[in-house]
Amino acid sequence: MKVGIVGAGMVGSSAGYALAVMGLASSVVLVDQNHDLAVAQAEDIAHAVPFMSSTIVEAADYGGLAGARVVILAAGVSQKPGETRLALLERNAAVFKDVVGNVLAVAPDAILLIASNPVDIMAQITQRISGLPASRVVGSGTILDTARFRSLLGRHLGISPQSVHAYVLGEHGDSEVLAWSNARVGSLSLAEVAAQVGSPITQHVRARIDDGVRNAAYKIIKGKGATYYGIGAGLARIIKAIARDQHDVLTVSCVMAEIGDVRDVALSIPRVIGADGVSEDLMPDLAAEELEGLGRSAQLLKDCVESISL
Ligand SMILES: NC(=O)C1=CN([C@@H]2O[C@H](COP(=O)(O)OP(=O)(O)OC[C@H]3O[C@@H](n4cnc5c(N)ncnc54)[C@H](O)[C@@H]3O)[C@@H](O)[C@H]2O)C=CC1
Ligand SMILES: CC(=O)C(=O)O
């Protein structure tokens, strides 16, 4: 399977690296307006391949994306320390006006996997520009926030994050909702497991984990300028579900006809994803305050998307 990546910066190259070392694609093609950067990233990643897989990694112009089953869109600007994701909207919307048309001109059948921020709104803009069905325009959404939540819960409990089933919903951003009420570990409720391992989820623990998830990007960007390993692996995980038609449940962002009182908005809930993109939305049963938070998140995203003229 060929995977294209537009935007060969930190996020795009990290996704390319993850795909190559995991051997999830037969070919990865990097495209960037800075062609020299794309060439350098492709070469560097290609030098990891002999240790891990047989993926062919190349840089190209848009023509090189012909035949790609999935194209990751990671082009545009990223946050400076202290800047919100929403502050990037106008600049990245302008970038996508060119990028989406260029991709579809050569890869009309591809699934578009959006990473650029603010990712929910960029996914919605991409769907509008492309006219593709929502199922084929997939934002990475809260896949990364969900991983952060599982990582912190797992660390608190002394249990592998892969055995923690907990989701972050709504915006990939400040208004996101940690779905504590239906978090499970193995097949047990979080409270049961926490009691059995002697690590209760007190209000203090909950606040610490919430802060660790919600503000992770701000802290990492302050420390090293950008986040990229987490999302690189997250994008590769979504592509694994597509490449192997796994029908996995992942929190990705897609335009939904309605959520609560808000119509036509992209945000994350658990969704089934396979070879054709998203096939099902799985709306979880939430506590009242989580449902209210999700409604506020949806309304905020809707207001932002309406503020942008396309
Ligand atoms: N969805 C998520 O969970 C995450 C999203 N991001 C977002 O991903 C995006 C990329 O971040 P980084 O890779 O760190 O930025 P970066 O600055 O390292 O890379 C962006 C690349 O886009 C290229 N680019 C800009 N305009 C272009 C155009 N018109 N055509 C082709 N290429 C173009 C630039 O030349 C640059 O190489 C940002 O919007 C960032 O906020 C970052 C981390 C996590
Ligand atoms: C930058 C970003 O969106 C993140 O790391 O969550």
Side-chain angles (χ1 to χ4, degrees), residues 79 85 117 144-145 148 172 216-217 221 227:
Q79 296 159 265
R85 296 172 182 87
N117 273 320
L144 178 56
D145 317 81
R148 288 170 174 156
H172 169 58
I221 290 169
T227 69

Side-chain angles (χ1 to χ4, degrees), residues 6-12 31-34 37 62 74-79 85 88 92 95 98-99 114-119 140-141 144-145 148 172 226-228 231:
V6 182
M10 302 312 297
V11 170
V31 177
D32 198 288
Q33 67 180 9
N34 178 351
L37 174 69
Y62 280 98
V77 291
S78 57
Q79 296 159 265
R85 296 172 182 87
L88 309 174
N92 282 347
V95 168
D98 286 338
V99 165
I114 320 304
S116 301
N117 273 320
V119 69
S140 59
L144 178 56
D145 317 81
R148 288 170 174 156
H172 169 58
T227 69
Y228 37 91
I231 187 59

Side-chain angles (χ1 to χ4, degrees), residues 38-302:
V39 170
Q41 298 281 29
E43 270 202 54
D44 195 13
I45 298 167
H47 298 163
V49 165
F51 300 109
M52 311 281 188
S53 74
S54 53
T55 301
I56 294 165
V57 186
E58 299 170 308
D61 58 17
Y62 280 98
L65 301 179
R69 278 258 314 277
V70 183
V71 178
I72 297 174
L73 304 187
V77 291
S78 57
Q79 296 159 265
K80 302 278 174 294
E83 197 175 23
T84 66
R85 296 172 182 87
L86 292 173
L88 309 174
L89 176 55
E90 301 236 344
R91 284 167 285 166
N92 282 347
V95 168
F96 270 41
K97 275 184 191 163
D98 286 338
V99 165
V100 173
N102 290 340
V103 170
L104 288 178
V106 290
D109 299 325
I111 292 172
L112 302 182
L113 176 52
I114 320 304
S116 301
N117 273 320
V119 69
D120 305 286
I121 305 173
M122 297 312 299
Q124 186 151 9
I125 287 174
T126 302
Q127 205 238 322
R128 283 196 191 165
I129 297 174
S130 66
L132 293 175
S135 57
R136 269 180 55 203
V137 181
V138 182
S140 59
T142 55
I143 192 152
L144 178 56
D145 317 81
T146 289
R148 288 170 174 156
F149 191 21
R150 292 176 182 196
S151 165
L152 292 176
L153 274 174
R155 214 180 293 172
H156 174 73
L157 298 168
I159 288 176
S160 162
Q162 296 209 359
S163 296
V164 177
H165 310 289
Y167 296 98
V168 178
L169 314 174
E171 180 197 8
H172 169 58
D174 300 346
S175 73
E176 67 194 19
V177 176
L178 279 65
W180 288 94
S181 64
N182 58 26
R184 299 192 83 74
V185 180
S187 64
L188 283 70
S189 74
L190 181 59
E192 277 176 276
V193 171
Q196 287 189 31
V197 301
S199 300
I201 309 279
T202 61
Q203 279 308 317
H204 173 73
V205 168
R206 204 169 148 132
R208 178 174 55 74
I209 291 178
D210 184 290
D211 175 64
V213 174
R214 199 176 302 278
N215 294 313
Y218 292 112
K219 289 176 190 158
I220 297 168
I221 290 169
K222 187 164 175 237
K224 60 178 237 181
T227 69
Y228 37 91
Y229 294 131
I231 187 59
L235 291 164
R237 179 67 187 84
I238 296 168
I239 287 177
K240 182 178 172 191
I242 296 170
R244 300 186 182 167
D245 195 20
Q246 288 191 170
H247 292 248
D248 288 320
V249 176
L250 300 171
T251 46
V252 292
S253 186
C254 273
V255 175
M256 314 177 64
E258 60 184 0
I259 177 146
D261 297 334
V262 185
R263 295 181 160 273
D264 187 33
V265 69
L267 49 63
S268 290
I269 59 170
R271 296 196 154 93
V272 180
I273 182 158
D276 298 326
V278 168
S279 56
E280 299 288 343
D281 290 356
L282 301 177
M283 186 63 200
D285 200 14
L286 296 172
E289 71 273 15
E290 294 166 349
L291 209 47
E292 280 164 26
L294 191 57
R296 282 195 298 276
S297 193
Q299 189 60 58
L300 179 144
L301 288 167
K302 179 73 181 177

